[in-house]
Amino acid sequence: MFAALRTAIAARGGIADWMITETVKSGSERYFIGTKTDMSRSVESRDYRLTVYVDGEKNGTRFRGEASASIHPTASARELAAIIDRAAFAASMSRNPWYELPEPRPALVTVPMSRFEGTSPAAGMNAVAEALFSPEHGRSRINSLELFLSRIERRVINSRGVDAGWTVWSGYSEYTIEATGKNGAVELTDDLRFSDPDYERLAAELSAALEAVSARAEAEPTPTIFEVPLVLSRKHAAETLGWFMTNLSSPRLFAKSSPLVLGESVHGPEARQGGYDPLELTAEPAIHGSPLSAPFDGEGTPLGRPVCASLGVAKAIIGPSRYAQYLGIPALGDHKLFSVGPGSRSPQTLRGGPYLEVVYFSDFVLDPDSGDFGGEIRLAWYSDGRSRRPVTGGSVSGAMMENRALLRYSDRIEANGPMRGPEAVLLPRVSVAGA
Amino acid sequence: MTDCVPSAFLRASAETLAEAVRRLESGYQYISILGTDDSGLSFRAAPGETIASEPFWVQRGFVARAQRGGRIAEYAFNTLPGGDPASAGLALAERIAAVVEPLFEAGQEARAYAPLADEPAKVEHRGRVEKDAFAAAPGEILSRLAACRDKLLAAEGIASAQARADFVRVSRIFATPHRNLFQTFDWAQAYAFGVARRGNVAKNSYRARSGLLGLEILDLLEADIPELAGELLELLRAQRIAPGVYDVILDPDVAGTLAHEAFGHGVEADMFVKGRARAAEYVGKSVASGIVDMFDGAAGVSQTGSFLFDDEGNLARKTAVIEKGILRSTIADALSAQVLNMAPTGNGRRQAYDHKAYARMTNTYFVPGDSTFDEILASTESGWLLERLDSGMEDPRNWGIQLVALVGREIKGGKLTGTIASPVYCSGYVPEVLSSISMLSKDFELGGSGACGKGYKEMVKVSSGGPYVKTRMRLG
């Protein structure tokens, strides 16, 4: 397909640059209801995406337009020509500031190959399923579980000579666990991602979820609480600190939708020394166990470990190369993962006074533009400073713009979703609507 | 009006698929192949740039479903063997058999279904649009979107703005030994987004349009821009709402999402099969105020959840979920329908050919009532008008509900006070919220600019809506 595309692009003419990405996927899926297999599936696909760049000039100023399109492996030569012609024509209609494509550069890091490599997805998932179904937890159990394991080869080439390829294993499970208690039958739904056969971690995550749903079965309605700090842990800690990562990206700075400014405090001008834990944030190419680990970004730019915030000050911006050029900053790549340094509080100290720790929301929403966040509470731990009890229902809301100068983090580091960082974050200014 | 142009690729593949099905028929209790060729165009005018690309929904591929010994296996693929239809069909049949055979052995214990139905049917559907976006000049679309963006950015206080339009042409073929279905239709969605900022405060909002539309959707979006600009600046003085239970009037978009999240997900038949639906205990019983009627269906209304047949080859229907407050029916995919001993309702849908089919909503809505909006407003002594849906989330087992509205307008003495809140988090216990519905307006609007997930994934295009709805909810 690469050769056919190169030939068709050359035949079209008028295309200044191009980029092609190839994704080859071989996947296995199994769906369980209780412990029984409900359906088994196999997926084999090969997808291409072509982006063409067309240049223009007006009054001595160079412009560049781009357009992208899917190229299906079943596309005929005639279809290819039509798709390329349509994309090139659409690209010629845009007059964006000119930028150049990434040039070939070697990888900056080595991402270890998954230990699934050498087996097939279908064979690999048997042991994963066994691990996920292994925990036993009294009165709670798995209601239903979906398991996906894929081997994915990615390759990016462009007209400037970039030719970057890598292979990832992507594992995913979404599951619903249930328990019966004084609240009757209750459930929680959660998911987990993995790229290695870390059976102990997978079993431990399921075990923790089973424990949580038992707590929800006994939870009391959330009281209306005034002036209680919110603790967000696990993936919600990653989502909260991910707001900084999101807003330290070049597309958002270029679009003026980010409230953060390079060289200024990410905690805002109102932050007072000692009143918060200064953010230490590094963009990461790889985190052990994450399917998002990759040596290159989607344009073939090699990914390093740029420090995006240090001592709470924005130091670097990540994102696609064109936006870096627009902003006149180094093109560091478009990272999907990040790490955050430890905070000043131990997990126990962070939870030393009264707090509300929401461990399961219906859907935690954190708006990247406004920084407003909140969600309905499915399971939280409420502590009055002496003892803690599970609560459910109601909602919590707040704003990053009101909390960023007061954030505290745990000093215990763990991997959660796209982040390796503090296991919990404390946000002091929130509003709680009781159930 | 112009006819939507069907996929030439699927037309050309039809004989190959039919041959493969014929070859496989004798070896399985059931065999089907769904072919998809959804093409699309996406145009975006962002600050300082315009970009042409493709919407999320573009796909081309196939999925074969086979049944043996009651077990179900599927193979998704996006390449076809070459050659004439007879030899390509034979090669495809051999490939499908080679992949699905081991799948029947996967796992120790498996659920067994009775043989799936394969009722004879041969139908074809071609949608129509006013102006074919696929034949339009990209430059015209980009310049109109850029004008929307620039009108927003011209307002002092609006820091960022963008406008986007997606045009999708859906083409599907479904083949079994006895069914031969083909459909082609276009849908479109267009958005304008803005971010207003003053000091440390930033607020965003949007306008969205959608439907089985072509280029004419841009006319609708352009008309929305002045109101959006005004709303963004208004939001800069938004307050935080004091937590509590309030009378609320939901605009059709927020109300439709209440229908979707509160009861739509809760009556998806696979939830019944898994024992996850509390609604299973309430079929035939009261779950809402007696003035509430709620429907779901790809047939009967025209929006982005409309189609002729679903991704399991079952024809679209319109299902009465709630009638006069009584829960009547679930919405079902083929497998769940069989377990529940009911007919499929045309709700078996996939995100794409390479995803599993589940029981999914289509167009979900409350039926209008007999009040005007002004009458509902005047009847509200103290409460909030909630507009501009941001998100919603279901809880089918425990009947919790979460809705997030970007705009809340305070009501006192039957009038809007001018006080505005953003965002507003709404929660409650579904039967309480639905039983508290006291008024429904005569209006009827469906919005299909969003997408619906199942759990954390499996996005499908849906619409929801209805009239303005007055009820009580917990806000925070």
Side-chain angles (χ1 to χ4, degrees):
Chain A
M1 180 59 84
F2 284 119
L5 278 168
R6 284 174 191 263
T7 302
I9 290 166
R12 165 49 168 84
I15 294 170
D17 276 310
W18 51 262
M19 177 175 74
I20 304 166
T21 60
E22 178 191 50
T23 305
V24 181
K25 176 178 171 181
S26 171
S28 186
E29 305 173 2
R30 205 173 299 164
Y31 300 79
F32 297 89
I33 298 179
T35 56
K36 287 188 177 179
T37 301
D38 184 49
M39 185 187 289
S40 297
R41 303 182 77 244
S42 177
V43 177
E44 290 172 6
S45 62
R46 181 179 288 269
D47 295 294
Y48 298 86
R49 190 166 184 84
L50 168 70
T51 306
V52 297
Y53 304 85
V54 175
D55 291 348
E57 186 184 320
K58 189 176 181 184
N59 300 331
T61 303
R62 290 176 81 187
F63 297 102
R64 171 159 277 198
E66 73 165 71
S68 55
S70 296
I71 306 292
H72 305 295
T74 44
S76 64
R78 193 172 162 187
E79 270 189 282
L80 274 188
I83 291 167
I84 291 168
D85 187 56
R86 189 170 65 193
F89 183 63
S92 71
M93 296 295 112
S94 289
R95 296 188 167 192
N96 301 326
W98 195 85
Y99 54 92
E100 56 190 16
L101 295 194
E103 298 284 339
R105 283 192 286 155
L108 299 171
V109 298
T110 301
V111 178
M113 178 57 81
S114 165
R115 286 179 280 122
F116 281 119
E117 186 70 3
T119 186
S120 70
M125 74 170 7
N126 287 329
V128 176
E130 197 172 307
L132 293 174
F133 279 97
S134 66
E136 291 188 7
H137 195 278
R139 62 192 172 181
S140 53
R141 62 207 156 267
I142 292 172
N143 167 281
S144 47
L145 183 144
E146 300 180 352
L147 184 54
F148 304 76
L149 184 60
S150 303
R151 183 181 189 276
I152 303 170
E153 295 173 23
R154 298 189 198 282
R155 189 175 170 199
V156 184
I157 66 171
N158 74 14
S159 50
R160 314 305 298 174
V162 164
D163 188 347
W166 66 100
T167 299
V168 297
W169 280 76
S170 177
Y172 177 76
S173 179
E174 180 173 307
Y175 52 87
T176 298
I177 60 259
E178 59 189 9
T180 303
K182 72 179 186 187
N183 296 327
V186 300
E187 69 173 34
L188 291 170
T189 296
D190 207 342
D191 62 357
L192 55 86
R193 295 177 193 278
F194 55 96
S195 62
D196 265 300
D198 295 329
Y199 303 123
E200 280 186 23
R201 173 175 82 87
L202 299 175
E205 289 210 25
L206 249 296
S207 183
L210 290 167
E211 194 172 329
V213 76
S214 284
R216 191 183 187 198
E218 301 297 333
E220 299 169 7
T222 303
T224 295
I225 319 159
F226 299 98
E227 309 218 349
V228 67
L230 174 68
V231 173
L232 293 176
S233 51
R234 303 175 54 242
K235 63 181 174 186
H236 301 314
E239 289 172 287
T240 304
L241 294 170
W243 180 80
F244 292 102
M245 177 76 172
T246 298
N247 280 300
L248 289 171
S249 70
S250 51
R252 289 188 57 75
L253 264 79
F254 178 68
K256 296 186 170 61
S257 50
S258 171
L260 306 183
V261 179
L262 198 57
E264 295 185 6
S265 170
V266 300
H267 300 279
E270 68 277 23
R272 296 287 169 261
Q273 194 170 7
Y276 64 101
D277 287 346
L279 186 72
E280 298 287 340
L281 190 152
T282 302
E284 298 285 357
I287 290 177
H288 175 75
S290 172
L292 297 174
S293 297
F296 299 93
D297 73 2
E299 296 179 313
T301 299
L303 298 174
R305 300 186 65 237
V307 175
C308 295
S310 182
L311 295 174
V313 175
K315 296 289 187 188
I317 304 296
I318 57 150
S321 67
R322 65 187 290 190
Y323 296 102
Q325 292 173 57
Y326 286 172
L327 295 170
I329 57 177
L332 302 172
D334 192 12
H335 298 68
K336 307 297 180 198
L337 303 169
F338 64 101
S339 62
V340 171
S344 62
R345 310 288 164 95
S346 69
Q348 296 75 22
T349 309
L350 197 76
R351 298 170 175 87
Y355 67 90
L356 182 75
E357 180 173 358
V358 184
V359 287
Y360 280 90
F361 284 98
S362 291
D363 182 24
F364 181 65
V365 178
L366 199 173
D367 188 292
D369 297 329
S370 65
D372 294 329
F373 62 83
E376 188 209 15
I377 299 165
R378 288 202 174 160
L379 175 66
W381 293 97
Y382 172 54
S383 169
D384 58 9
R386 294 182 296 277
S387 63
R388 69 170 201 166
R389 63 180 196 271
V391 296
T392 187
S395 66
V396 62
S397 60
M400 286 300 287
M401 300 303 280
E402 293 173 19
N403 279 281
R404 61 177 178 161
L406 304 165
L407 290 174
R408 296 290 185 188
Y409 328 126
S410 162
D411 65 3
R412 192 169 89 201
I413 297 295
E414 58 185 39
N416 276 306
M419 178 184 84
R420 180 166 177 77
E423 55 87 28
V425 181
L426 186 140
L427 302 107
R429 289 190 183 161
V430 296
S431 177
V432 179
Chain B
M1 298 290 276
T2 60
D3 281 350
C4 302
V5 181
S7 159
F9 168 73
L10 288 184
R11 288 269 194 240
S13 305
E15 280 190 60
T16 298
L17 303 183
E19 179 64 20
V21 165
R22 272 193 295 275
R23 296 276 182 178
L24 291 163
E25 181 181 3
S26 61
Y28 300 95
Q29 293 169 299
Y30 175 88
I31 183 77
S32 69
I33 302 178
L34 171 74
T36 72
D37 189 7
D38 298 355
S39 53
L41 301 169
S42 182
F43 300 94
R44 187 164 66 97
E49 60 179 356
T50 57
I51 296 170
S53 60
E54 282 184 341
F56 167 78
W57 306 97
V58 169
Q59 56 166 315
R60 180 190 279 186
F62 304 89
V63 56
R65 171 180 283 185
Q67 183 180 24
R68 175 179 294 159
R71 295 185 68 158
I72 308 290
E74 289 190 343
Y75 168 45
F77 53 97
N78 70 346
T79 58
L80 284 178
D84 61 84
S87 59
L90 173 61
L92 179 59
E94 288 172 348
R95 195 209 299 175
I96 290 170
V99 174
V100 299
E101 290 299 329
L103 296 179
F104 289 124
E105 309 304 320
Q108 294 298 309
E109 283 187 286
R111 293 171 67 89
Y113 292 87
L116 295 174
D118 182 22
E119 301 292 332
K122 182 171 183 174
V123 292
E124 176 160 350
H125 165 68
R126 285 178 74 171
R128 308 190 82 197
V129 294
E130 200 175 303
K131 298 176 189 171
D132 184 356
F134 291 82
E140 181 201 338
I141 300 172
L142 286 169
S143 63
R144 289 177 71 178
L145 293 171
C148 291
R149 172 200 64 192
D150 294 343
K151 278 183 189 168
L152 287 171
L153 288 173
E156 194 177 340
I158 297 182
S160 183
Q162 59 176 289
R164 195 180 102 197
D166 296 336
F167 302 95
V168 176
R169 175 156 293 164
V170 176
S171 275
R172 306 278 165 91
I173 188 171
F174 184 82
T176 69
H178 300 107
R179 286 175 96 74
N180 184 349
L181 315 177
F182 199 104
Q183 63 182 348
T184 302
F185 57 89
D186 290 2
W187 60 260
Q189 57 188 6
Y191 308 86
F193 305 92
V195 181
R197 183 172 296 118
R198 186 182 298 144
N200 215 14
V201 177
K203 294 291 176 186
N204 54 15
S205 193
Y206 68 93
R207 287 295 182 279
R209 295 286 185 164
S210 63
L212 302 182
L213 301 168
L215 198 61
E216 62 270 23
I217 197 169
L218 294 183
D219 302 336
L220 303 172
L221 185 71
E222 285 163 347
D224 289 336
I225 301 303
E227 189 182 78
L228 173 58
E231 183 176 284
L232 281 164
L233 299 179
E234 218 183 342
L235 284 169
L236 287 175
R237 58 179 173 77
Q239 304 174 358
R240 181 79 54 78
I241 216 160
V245 177
Y246 296 91
D247 281 349
V248 293
I249 302 172
L250 311 178
D251 78 4
D253 201 19
V254 180
T257 308
L258 172 66
H260 177 106
E261 301 294 352
F263 247 91
H265 281 293
V267 296
E268 289 168 339
D270 50 355
M271 294 289 146
F272 282 55
V273 172
K274 291 172 181 172
R276 292 187 57 198
R278 182 169 289 185
E281 302 162 23
Y282 285 82
V283 177
K285 297 178 183 173
S286 174
V287 291
S289 151
I291 64 169
V292 174
D293 292 314
M294 181 188 141
F295 284 85
D296 178 273
V301 293
S302 172
Q303 248 294 350
T304 53
S306 302
F307 47 74
L308 176 69
F309 59 89
D310 70 8
D311 296 330
E312 296 177 301
N314 288 305
L315 298 182
R317 287 172 45 177
K318 175 181 167 185
T319 304
V321 176
I322 299 174
E323 279 183 320
K324 293 182 167 50
I326 307 296
L327 179 59
R328 291 295 181 200
S329 180
T330 65
I331 54 175
D333 60 302
L335 298 180
S336 301
Q338 190 194 83
V339 174
L340 300 177
N341 197 26
M342 62 183 284
T345 57
N347 290 84
R349 305 185 66 191
R350 303 173 189 269
Q351 175 176 310
Y353 75 90
D354 55 349
H355 287 241
K356 179 181 181 288
Y358 298 81
R360 306 302 302 272
M361 280 172 272
T362 54
N363 306 298
T364 312
Y365 50 92
F366 288 121
V367 175
D370 53 12
S371 303
T372 65
F373 171 76
D374 289 342
E375 287 169 346
I376 297 176
L377 182 63
S379 75
T380 307
E381 185 55 36
S382 175
W384 291 86
L385 168 64
L386 303 180
E387 303 174 324
R388 220 65 60 214
L389 180 87
D390 186 45
S391 66
M393 192 68 183
E394 82 275 16
D395 187 8
R397 167 74 70 85
N398 302 113
W399 273 353
I401 175 77
Q402 170 177 320
L403 298 175
V404 185
L406 285 178
V407 181
R409 298 184 186 278
E410 187 187 47
I411 304 166
K412 291 282 184 197
K415 293 179 179 166
L416 297 172
T417 64
T419 297
I420 192 166
S422 177
V424 182
Y425 294 87
C426 320
S427 60
Y429 182 55
V430 167
E432 284 179 7
V433 174
L434 295 188
S435 297
S436 299
I437 292 177
S438 55
M439 297 178 86
L440 300 158
S441 80
K442 297 173 180 175
D443 311 276
F444 185 74
E445 290 176 28
L446 286 177
S449 59
C452 168
K454 189 148 179 133
Y456 299 111
K457 53 185 180 57
E458 309 299 342
M459 307 309 285
V460 295
K461 206 67 193 146
V462 296
S463 82
S464 60
Y468 285 90
V469 170
K470 181 178 176 182
T471 184
R472 283 179 69 77
M473 292 191 82
R474 182 170 297 281
L475 308 183

